[in-house]
Amino acid sequence: ALFFVLEHWGKALWRSTSLSEGANAPIVESLAGASYIFVLMAVNSIGYSVGLSGVGELLDRMMTREALYFMVGSVWAFFCGVRLMFEVRNIERTWEGVGRGQAKLT
């Protein structure tokens, strides 16, 4: 429930600032999506696999150099996937507009 509250506050803050319209907005949105995927995976791992009693051992294993490389690579892969998803969504919107005569491809 805490993550949903943080997500709601983050969305409200994002919409209230001028950052959501800048050139870096797609990058920030993709990073937010990647971090959200990472948090969901962590929560599911704790909830279904290791349990609350295994969180300490999991954190100990995550504090190694190899685990850090893995986490950075995972966040990068999630970032690329989310960015690709946003681009596909934009292409679909463009093609929907073309089909109804509302937009023209150049």
Side-chain angles (χ1 to χ4, degrees), residues 5-23:
V5 171
L6 292 175
E7 178 187 8
H8 181 68
W9 284 346
K11 283 182 181 179
L13 178 66
W14 178 251
R15 290 183 183 132
S16 68
T17 63
S18 63
L19 293 174
S20 61
E21 298 171 0

Side-chain angles (χ1 to χ4, degrees), residues 1-90:
L2 174 66
F3 294 114
F4 292 120
V5 171
L6 292 175
E7 178 187 8
H8 181 68
W9 284 346
K11 283 182 181 179
L13 178 66
W14 178 251
R15 290 183 183 132
S16 68
T17 63
S18 63
L19 293 174
S20 61
E21 298 171 0
N24 292 329
I27 294 171
V28 174
E29 289 173 350
S30 298
L31 283 172
S35 63
Y36 192 65
I37 292 170
F38 201 76
V39 166
L40 287 176
M41 287 180 59
V43 169
N44 281 330
S45 294
I46 292 169
Y48 293 112
S49 297
V50 297
L52 290 176
S53 60
V55 173
E57 183 181 344
L58 182 65
L59 289 175
D60 287 341
R61 289 184 180 183
M62 288 175 55
M63 296 302 160
T64 64
R65 184 177 300 271
E66 292 82 16
L68 179 64
Y69 292 149
F70 178 78
M71 287 190 296
V72 168
S74 298
V75 171
W76 177 251
F78 296 152
F79 172 82
C80 292
V82 170
R83 188 74 207 118
L84 179 64
M85 179 190 69
F86 285 152
E87 289 302 322
V88 168
R89 185 185 302 166
N90 288 337

